[in-house]
Structures are given as C-alpha cells and as structure tokens.
C-alpha cells in the first residue's frame, strides 16, 4: 500500500497509509476503552468530585506534556495553529472529560459506553466537514441511523421516550466535543506531530484546568480511596496523554473517516471493562443497543471516502 508524507515537528516522514493508521488508531482505542469504567470508578463513591476529576486529570497530563515539550525542545506553534489547538483543547481536554465525569455520577459505565459509541460516526462527520473528505450518500444515511439508534437506546434505557436523563444529554455533548477535538487534532497532527499536538493543547488549556482543580478542591475536600486516586492517575497519564499519541498519529495518517472506524470496538471493550472492574451486569438492552449503534456506525465509516 502506498504511503504519503506526514509532517511533524521533526520534519517530513514517509509512512504507510491506511494499514498503519488503523494500527495506531486501534492502539489508542485500546487505551481509551478503559476511560469510562475508570471514570465511573473514580466518581462512584463521591470521595472525588466530578469537577476535580475532570480538571485534575488534565493538569496531570499537562505536567507530563510540558516536560516532554521542554525536554525535546519543540518549536512553538504559530498563527492559526494556536486557534486550532484551542479547538482541540476545548473538545478533548475540557469538554469530553468534564461532561463524562458529571454524566457518570449517575449513569452506569456500560450505558455511557453505548451512548459514546456514536463517537466513530461523529468523528467521521467532523472529518468530512473539516478535512474535505467526501463519502457517498450511504455514509450520511447510516450516520443518521446511528444517531437515531443511540437516542432510542438512551431514552428506552431511561424508562421510555420521555425518560432521557440529564446524564444522556451530557454524554451526547461529550460525543460532539470529542468528535471536534479528534478531527481538528488529526489535521494538526499532520503539521505538528501526533504527541506534539495533544501536548500543546494540554499546555494551552492548563491555566483554566488548574483554576478549576483549585476551585473543586476548595469547594469539597477530596477524600478518595486509593483505588479512586489510582483511577485518576490512569485518566491523567493514559486517557489524557499517552493514548492520544497513538490516536492522533492514526488520524494523521488517515483518511480520518476510515481510521475512525477502529473506535467501533471501543464500546464493546468498555462494556467488558465495566463488567470486569465494576461488576455491572450485561443486560439485553445494553447488548442490543450496543450492537445497533456499532452496526450503524460500522457501515457509515466503512463507506468509501474520496478526498477532495
């Protein structure tokens, strides 16, 4: 399979295209699949507040990012790259972590995993709009069907079509935020490099995230157990930092709408992790809802993509 040039902070590298992108993407998804169960573990007993978890995980990652950027003497981004980094930070540093942290105070992790299962199609749509990738009509039909499947699952799981909970709305918002951050980050990774992109986004957002962490600590003493602090450490080191190294590299190799299909395994892995770590039961509505979302998203992101 032919390769293409991938620009990073150290120059131009020759990389294989789709196969390598899928491999890197799958590695990132494997790291992300533990995020929702571990977030639920961190907020379940109330020892650590959702605001503290959502912000402190970014602070932990920002410290690691700043150290890596300083040690490797990376060149500062310029011009519009800072604006685009702000979009990445708003999506994956601020929006997704905080929204999921608050949602999972009441929603089970397996329920959240199915709702967030819409993220592959949402990322592909963001790639179409931002990256000028042109999928056929089938893509849009199945992406819409996936959205309907997620809404039906969430509402029926909540007790009927009128049973949507505020946690579901937060999870839907997390999907939108994550998709924007993924798509813009994938494009920026072609210019700055994969780990450089997430690192600069973390550093850019760090003043706000430090302020939110201090506010959360002042408002409520954080009295988490060792397991809850360990969960926060995973979220900061892996979910917010190391996982993005692989994920953004996969998206940068692209095409993003195709590479995003590896996220289809994330809800399945997350549900399995929820059963293993949190002893959540695998009910038929959860299994069938997850299967429906994965099927719709699978067809949509596998549709042939033509770059403009």
């Amino acid at each position: 399979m032919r390769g293409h040039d991938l620009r990073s902070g150290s120059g131009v590298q020759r990389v294989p295209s789709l196969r390598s992108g899928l491999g890197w993407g799958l590695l990132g998804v494997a790291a992300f699949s533990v995020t929702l169960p571990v977030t639920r573990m961190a907020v379940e007993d109330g020892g650590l507040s959702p605001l503290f978890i959502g912000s402190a995980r970014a602070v932990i990652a920002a410290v690691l990012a700043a150290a890596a950027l300083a040690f490797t003497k990376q060149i500062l981004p310029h011009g519009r790259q800072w604006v685009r980094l702000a979009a990445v930070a708003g999506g994956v540093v601020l929006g997704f972590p905080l929204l999921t942290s608050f949602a999972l105070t009441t929603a089970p992790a397996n329920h959240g995993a199915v709702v967030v299962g819409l993220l592959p199609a949402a990322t592909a749509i963001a790639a179409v709009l931002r990256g000028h990738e042109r999928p056929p009509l089938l893509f849009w039909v199945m992406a819409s069907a996936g959205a309907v499947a997620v809404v039906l699952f969430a509402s029926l799981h909540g007790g009927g079509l009128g049973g949507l909970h505020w946690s579901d709305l937060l999870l839907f918002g997390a999907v939108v935020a994550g998709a924007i951050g993924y798509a813009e980050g994938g494009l920026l990774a072609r210019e700055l490099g994969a780990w450089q992109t997430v690192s600069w986004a973390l550093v850019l957002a760090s003043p706000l995230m430090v302020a939110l962490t201090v506010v959360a600590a002042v408002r409520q003493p954080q009295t988490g157990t060792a397991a809850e602090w360990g969960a926060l450490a995973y979220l900061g080191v892996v979910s917010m930092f190391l996982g993005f190294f692989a994920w953004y590299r996969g998206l940068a190799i692209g095409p993003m709408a195709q590479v995003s299909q590896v996220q289809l395994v994330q809800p399945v892995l997350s549900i399995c992790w929820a059963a293993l770590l949190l002893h959540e039961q695998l009910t038929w509505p959860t299994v069938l809802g997850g299967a429906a979302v994965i099927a719709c998203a699978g067809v949509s992101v596998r549709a042939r993509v033509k770059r403009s």
Side-chain angles (χ1 to χ4, degrees):
M1 186 172 289
R2 295 182 62 187
H4 66 279
D5 288 339
L6 177 63
R7 295 187 179 273
S8 68
S10 58
V12 178
Q13 297 177 329
R14 195 73 177 173
V15 297
S17 49
L18 185 57
R19 180 178 296 180
S20 179
L22 292 174
W24 282 107
L26 184 60
L27 183 60
V29 164
F32 294 153
S33 67
V34 194
T35 298
L36 291 183
V38 169
T39 301
R40 175 65 175 171
M41 181 186 301
V43 302
E44 190 171 19
D45 294 331
L48 302 178
S49 70
L51 179 60
F52 181 81
I53 293 168
S55 55
R57 63 193 274 188
V59 174
I60 294 171
V63 171
L64 298 176
L69 291 169
F71 182 77
T72 57
K73 299 179 180 179
Q74 294 295 312
I75 300 174
L76 284 170
H78 57 83
R80 273 187 57 83
Q81 288 179 338
W82 286 111
V83 178
R84 297 166 63 191
L85 282 168
V88 175
V92 302
V93 180
L94 180 65
F96 189 90
L98 287 174
L99 290 172
T100 53
S101 293
F102 278 99
L104 292 174
T105 57
T106 56
N110 55 18
H111 177 85
V114 175
V115 177
V116 176
L118 186 60
L119 192 52
T123 302
I125 292 173
V128 168
L129 298 176
R130 185 65 184 87
H132 307 295
E133 297 176 355
R134 296 186 298 173
L137 178 62
L138 177 62
F139 172 89
W140 297 108
V141 171
M142 296 310 299
S144 300
V148 172
V150 169
V151 172
L152 287 176
F153 164 78
S155 59
L156 293 175
H157 198 264
L161 291 177
L164 273 175
H165 295 165
W166 68 273
S167 59
D168 294 314
L169 300 178
L170 292 176
L171 290 169
F172 292 146
V175 167
V176 174
I180 294 172
Y182 285 169
E184 194 62 54
L187 291 173
L188 264 177
R190 296 172 183 171
E191 304 171 21
L192 300 176
W195 72 266
Q196 293 93 333
T197 296
V198 66
S199 294
W200 285 119
L202 286 164
V203 169
L204 181 61
S206 60
L208 174 60
M209 305 314 288
V210 169
L212 291 176
T213 302
V214 172
V215 169
V218 170
R219 288 178 58 185
Q220 174 185 329
Q222 306 302 311
T223 58
T225 64
E228 291 169 344
W229 286 107
L232 176 61
Y234 181 93
L235 292 172
V237 176
V238 180
S239 296
M240 289 294 294
F241 191 56
L242 296 180
F244 278 102
F245 285 25
W247 180 239
Y248 276 153
R249 181 165 178 80
L251 291 178
I253 294 171
M256 284 190 288
Q258 290 180 331
V259 172
S260 64
Q261 73 183 290
V262 299
Q263 286 180 289
L264 300 176
V265 303
Q266 186 169 326
V268 178
L269 293 176
S270 294
I271 290 172
C272 292
W273 281 115
L276 180 65
L277 297 176
L278 303 172
H279 308 292
E280 294 183 359
Q281 294 184 346
L282 295 178
T283 63
W284 279 112
T286 299
V287 173
L288 294 177
V293 171
I294 290 172
C296 294
V299 176
S300 68
V301 299
R302 287 179 183 273
R304 184 181 179 184
V305 175
K306 297 181 180 179
R307 288 182 183 260
S308 61

